[in-house]
Amino acid sequence: MVETILRYKWATFIALVKSILLIWLTEIPYTDGAARSQLTRLSFIATLALPLALAIRLSEERQQWKSYLRPTLISLAAILLTAYYFTLDTEPNQTDTYRFLMLLAGAHLVVSYAPFIGTSDKENFWQFNKTLFLQFLNASLYAGTLYIGLLIAVQTVKYLFNINYKFNIELDLLIVVSSFFHTVFFLSKIPAPADFKNDYPVGLKVFTQYVLLPLEVVYLAIIYTYLGKIMFQWKLPEGGVAYLVLAFSVAGIFALLLLYPLRQSMTERWVSIFSRRYYVALVPLIVLLFIGIFRRIIDYGITENRYIVAVLAFWLAGITLYFLSGKRDDIRWIPVTLSILCFLLPIGPWNIFVVAKNSQLKRFEAILVRNQILDSRHQIARQKTVPKQDKDQLVSIIGFFRNRELRGLEPYFAGFKQKDRSDYQYYASMESSLDKFVISDKKENSGLFTNHSSQFAKNAAGISLAGFDHALFIDASEDKVISDGHVELKIEQDGKMWALTRDKKKVTVWNVSDRVNALHAAYGTHAMDVPQDSLVLFHGSYKLVFRSISSSNNSYFYGNGVLFYR
């Protein structure tokens, strides 16, 4: 272990820092939002720095750099990571997480080819990545076994000695094992460049030849059967088929990469034949992929996922044509091109977030214009009955902006102004305004779902419980009759009425549907910051305090909370 730490000083140090940050993050209360956000941003940086530090060290070992090159690259990486840190929102949101995951994928791909930049050594490139792949699986097995063993030990100590830990020991152990131990163990088994062995593990061949490839053939048959079906019926494929075709294609390419060294073996000629025929078989599926994803985009606009799938469709077409050309078969182009896409797509004016936002904005306006809902000020001010699909898409687009804390829909709603931060109530008000003017032509089947909660309310703990002696916890989504032997709460009429009895004598019947409709009118379809006193039903010495309350299509009502009584 000491030898590994000395060999990979920066990588092990970063792994240690990452572990400390993640443990710190798990132990901080959720109420301390500022500290949690800061630790999340620092964790992003440490997680990205680890593969970059490893790529620099492995490249230095293999290419015997001059003394000044390594500190130069480390300084450059530090500058880039610092710049990236300042681009993160003070409270990282979904967009920040998405961008981080793409950059992380690109950084790991760099590790696979960085030591071979400027060389044409394809065979050692495969051997190098084979070692990394097998060592990752080996480290994961050891780390998983260690964690399970430690977890059993922790639970045993809890049981035998009645010890209650004041920290989240299970999660902390998981972080230490997965972030630090896994990293150090993985690095400890990476041989020096001169010690790499030119071999092909028999187990890898057996797994690929007798497990992975047969599965590929089965899925190939299924997708080709589906292709025949849509050609026979002469209709466009479902948009979701694009994801299936892409997953199948990438898995097949991965299988061929695992078999790459055997392509020149006289006893394994089938590998070379299968490889070429596999890429030929991909051609009609790539056409299906393009049709599927662009149908999805035409129907519902661009989102981050659809943008990525569309780009990967072009990438897959390019890789397939490259390997079918027969001129070269340099497998390094696969990770190189993928890493370039991972680094380019989250940044610049073409980045997936800007393109997706603009596409959804244009689609929102197009639906409003097509149904003549906008007034002379270009705002929603005319009540119209529209096709259910159009209404659903308008609501979905508001949800798209809510989940990403985006701005841009405000000009279409009268009285809305740009806000610095997002909250559920803000977008719920948009949905309420939309419901007022835009009516679905199939309202009875619209599947409207409402949900109201005090989860983020500032006065969530402002209900006085003085004078109450008993509490009965309630979850109407699971039970229709809740009782503690003295009082009984019976959920009736699909949750619309909640009948309270005590010692088999009727006390009252609460009309929950009226409260849900009142909340819907006041706060829109979804609100997580409803004042707690709006979620309380009274009757004499009984107080029903909801934590959340919801409805489905205004026909079924659910809620959970606590009934207090004397």
Side-chain angles (χ1 to χ4, degrees):
M1 182 175 178
V2 174
E3 182 181 350
T4 301
I5 294 175
L6 292 176
R7 182 182 174 191
Y8 301 101
K9 299 183 185 69
W10 280 105
T12 51
F13 173 73
I14 294 170
L16 178 61
V17 171
K18 174 186 170 184
S19 301
I20 293 172
L21 289 172
L22 291 176
I23 291 174
W24 194 355
L25 179 61
T26 61
E27 297 297 338
I28 282 190
Y30 281 93
T31 54
D32 194 350
R36 292 184 62 84
S37 298
Q38 179 70 4
L39 288 171
T40 300
R41 297 163 73 193
L42 293 173
S43 299
F44 281 2
I45 300 303
T47 305
L48 283 174
L50 183 55
L52 294 179
L54 181 57
I56 292 173
R57 177 56 182 160
L58 292 174
S59 300
E60 179 191 27
E61 285 187 341
R62 181 165 189 84
Q63 299 190 16
Q64 298 296 311
W65 286 344
K66 294 182 179 180
S67 58
Y68 65 86
L69 191 54
R70 183 190 179 198
T72 300
L73 288 177
I74 291 176
S75 300
L76 179 61
I79 292 172
L80 291 174
L81 289 172
T82 302
Y84 168 67
Y85 172 83
F86 287 106
T87 66
L88 292 171
D89 198 292
T90 53
E91 297 179 16
N93 52 31
Q94 180 175 313
T95 298
D96 292 314
T97 303
Y98 218 133
R99 180 180 286 112
F100 161 72
L101 292 175
M102 294 190 68
L103 293 175
L104 183 62
H108 279 88
L109 286 168
V110 168
V111 175
S112 70
Y113 65 80
F116 297 88
I117 294 176
T119 71
S120 58
D121 194 351
K122 293 181 291 184
E123 301 299 330
N124 279 330
F125 168 78
W126 188 91
Q127 292 293 337
F128 171 76
N129 282 279
K130 176 262 297 181
T131 301
L132 295 186
F133 174 65
L134 295 180
Q135 179 53 22
F136 177 81
L137 296 180
N138 193 29
S140 299
L141 175 62
Y142 275 76
T145 304
L146 176 63
Y147 177 67
I148 292 173
L150 291 174
L151 193 60
I152 293 173
V154 166
Q155 296 301 323
T156 301
V157 170
K158 277 186 176 181
Y159 176 74
L160 293 178
F161 300 100
N162 195 27
I163 294 177
N164 290 319
Y165 298 96
K166 295 184 178 180
F167 51 92
N168 197 342
I169 188 170
E170 292 88 352
L171 188 54
D172 292 347
L173 280 176
L174 178 62
I175 292 171
V176 171
V177 171
S178 61
S179 294
F180 187 72
F181 173 81
H182 185 282
T183 300
V184 174
F185 188 88
F186 169 78
L187 296 176
S188 68
K189 301 299 181 181
I190 299 178
D195 298 330
F196 271 99
K197 296 179 181 179
N198 191 3
D199 62 348
Y200 192 92
V202 176
L204 189 60
K205 177 187 174 183
V206 171
F207 169 75
T208 307
Q209 184 174 351
Y210 296 107
V211 178
L212 200 54
L213 287 184
L215 286 175
E216 282 294 307
V217 172
V218 170
Y219 284 113
L220 183 66
I222 293 173
I223 296 178
Y224 261 87
T225 302
Y226 175 74
L227 184 59
K229 173 189 172 184
I230 64 175
M231 292 183 67
F232 176 78
Q233 295 178 341
W234 200 245
K235 69 175 184 178
L236 290 173
E238 295 293 333
V241 74
Y243 297 94
L244 297 176
V245 172
L246 185 62
F248 159 79
S249 304
V250 172
I253 292 175
F254 177 69
L256 292 177
L257 287 176
L258 293 179
L259 293 170
Y260 181 76
L262 303 180
R263 75 200 187 287
Q264 300 296 345
S265 174
M266 296 303 295
T267 59
E268 306 290 349
R269 293 295 297 169
W270 66 272
V271 175
S272 180
I273 296 172
F274 180 85
S275 176
R276 186 167 182 84
R277 290 182 179 176
Y278 175 79
Y279 285 112
V280 172
L282 277 186
V283 173
L285 298 186
I286 291 173
V287 175
L288 181 64
L289 171 60
F290 273 102
I291 295 174
I293 189 58
F294 281 102
R295 178 191 175 181
R296 199 79 171 173
I297 289 174
I298 291 171
D299 289 344
Y300 303 106
I302 298 174
T303 61
E304 295 91 348
N305 287 346
R306 293 171 199 150
Y307 190 150
I308 291 174
V309 172
V311 171
L312 289 178
F314 284 104
W315 172 83
L316 182 61
I319 288 295
T320 300
L321 291 176
Y322 172 76
F323 283 104
L324 283 176
S325 67
K327 297 178 180 179
R328 299 182 65 184
D329 61 347
D330 193 340
I331 58 175
R332 290 177 299 177
W333 281 111
I334 294 175
V336 169
T337 51
L338 276 177
S339 66
I340 291 174
L341 292 177
C342 287
F343 290 133
L344 287 181
L345 290 182
I347 63 174
W350 56 80
N351 79 74
I352 61 176
F353 312 107
V354 171
V355 173
K357 174 186 175 181
N358 292 339
S359 173
Q360 294 299 314
L361 269 178
K362 290 179 181 178
R363 186 152 196 84
F364 192 81
E365 180 173 349
I367 294 174
L368 296 176
V369 171
R370 183 171 66 243
N371 290 282
Q372 300 179 343
I373 299 172
L374 299 177
D375 62 7
S376 58
R377 295 175 299 174
H378 219 60
Q379 292 182 332
I380 298 173
R382 297 174 182 172
Q383 192 172 75
K384 289 283 185 178
T385 299
V386 304
K388 177 180 180 298
Q389 184 179 7
D390 285 353
K391 174 64 179 294
D392 289 346
Q393 286 199 46
L394 291 173
V395 174
S396 176
I397 292 171
I398 293 176
F400 175 91
F401 277 73
R402 174 199 292 120
N403 293 335
R404 293 155 180 80
E405 300 181 2
L406 296 176
R407 298 291 172 263
L409 293 177
E410 291 81 5
Y412 299 104
F413 295 90
F416 279 77
K417 297 180 180 180
Q418 295 281 353
K419 297 184 67 177
D420 294 331
R421 297 297 306 170
S422 167
D423 56 61
Y424 281 87
Q425 182 59 41
Y426 184 62
Y427 292 99
S429 299
M430 284 188 181
E431 290 178 345
S432 296
S433 178
L434 189 71
D435 288 339
K436 179 180 178 181
F437 293 100
V438 184
I439 304 169
S440 171
D441 61 355
K442 296 181 180 179
K443 187 175 182 180
E444 69 280 4
N445 297 318
S446 62
L448 177 66
F449 177 80
T450 69
N451 182 48
H452 299 90
S453 168
S454 61
Q455 182 177 356
F456 300 119
K458 295 180 179 179
N459 66 336
I463 297 297
S464 173
L465 301 178
F468 293 97
D469 302 319
H470 306 281
L472 177 63
F473 291 90
I474 299 162
D475 188 347
S477 63
E478 297 183 358
D479 304 302
K480 298 306 176 187
V481 178
I482 303 101
S483 173
D484 64 358
H486 297 287
V487 300
E488 179 182 279
L489 194 62
K490 189 175 183 180
I491 314 301
E492 300 176 336
Q493 299 182 33
D494 296 322
K496 294 180 181 179
M497 301 295 180
W498 292 27
L500 176 65
T501 60
R502 183 165 187 172
D503 298 326
K504 298 183 179 181
K505 295 181 181 180
K506 181 179 177 180
V507 176
T508 187
V509 177
W510 280 308
N511 190 325
V512 173
S513 63
D514 284 350
R515 178 55 56 94
V516 169
N517 292 332
L519 291 170
H520 185 195
Y523 302 102
T525 54
H526 300 280
M528 303 294 284
D529 56 355
V530 175
Q532 183 64 73
D533 56 9
S534 297
L535 296 171
V536 179
L537 297 176
F538 294 95
H539 181 80
S541 60
Y542 301 87
K543 179 181 291 187
L544 179 57
V545 180
F546 285 106
R547 184 56 174 164
S548 69
I549 188 171
S550 57
S551 70
S552 177
N553 203 23
N554 205 33
S555 299
Y556 302 93
F557 298 83
Y558 315 91
N560 64 76
V562 185
L563 172 66
F564 297 95
Y565 68 95
R566 289 193 288 271

